[in-house]
Amino acid sequence: MTTKPTEDDLHAAFARADLGGDDKLDLMEFTLVLEHLGLAWTRAETQHRFEQADTNFDGFISYSELRAVLESEGWAGGLAPGARA
Ligand SMILES: [Ca+2]
């Protein structure tokens, strides 16, 4: 349960949830990422995190925004910064 994901894990989860293939996640896709990663947040928590994660207020979560919110939760702290391909 405490195993931290690798950068590849996170990127794969992002890609799987990105049903639109546009490199950004809407709220439903964001929820899918959480499910892929095994995070169990309530709908209200997910909505709250989504709004906090969307730091450029475009209504979508980019990969960097996803990483940032997970890191802020202390969940993805094992990821190497800047390791994104
Ligand atoms: Ca955004």
Side-chain angles (χ1 to χ4, degrees):
M1 289 293 287
T2 58
T3 303
K4 292 190 184 294
T6 66
E7 185 77 28
D8 284 349
D9 290 337
L10 187 56
H11 207 271
F14 182 95
R16 284 179 62 189
D18 180 21
L19 302 179
D22 51 7
D23 289 330
K24 58 189 181 183
L25 307 179
D26 61 23
L27 181 57
M28 188 199 76
E29 291 169 341
F30 182 64
T31 304
L32 287 177
V33 165
L34 302 182
E35 291 178 358
H36 288 322
L37 296 175
L39 292 176
W41 289 345
T42 68
R43 178 180 293 192
E45 285 173 331
T46 301
Q47 175 84 42
H48 180 68
R49 259 72 167 223
F50 184 91
E51 291 170 358
Q52 286 203 316
D54 183 18
T55 50
N56 66 353
F57 304 108
D58 67 350
F60 297 95
I61 303 303
S62 67
Y63 182 74
S64 61
E65 286 173 339
L66 174 67
R67 276 190 52 139
V69 72
L70 293 176
E71 287 173 1
S72 76
E73 293 291 322
W75 181 81
L79 293 173
R84 180 184 178 191

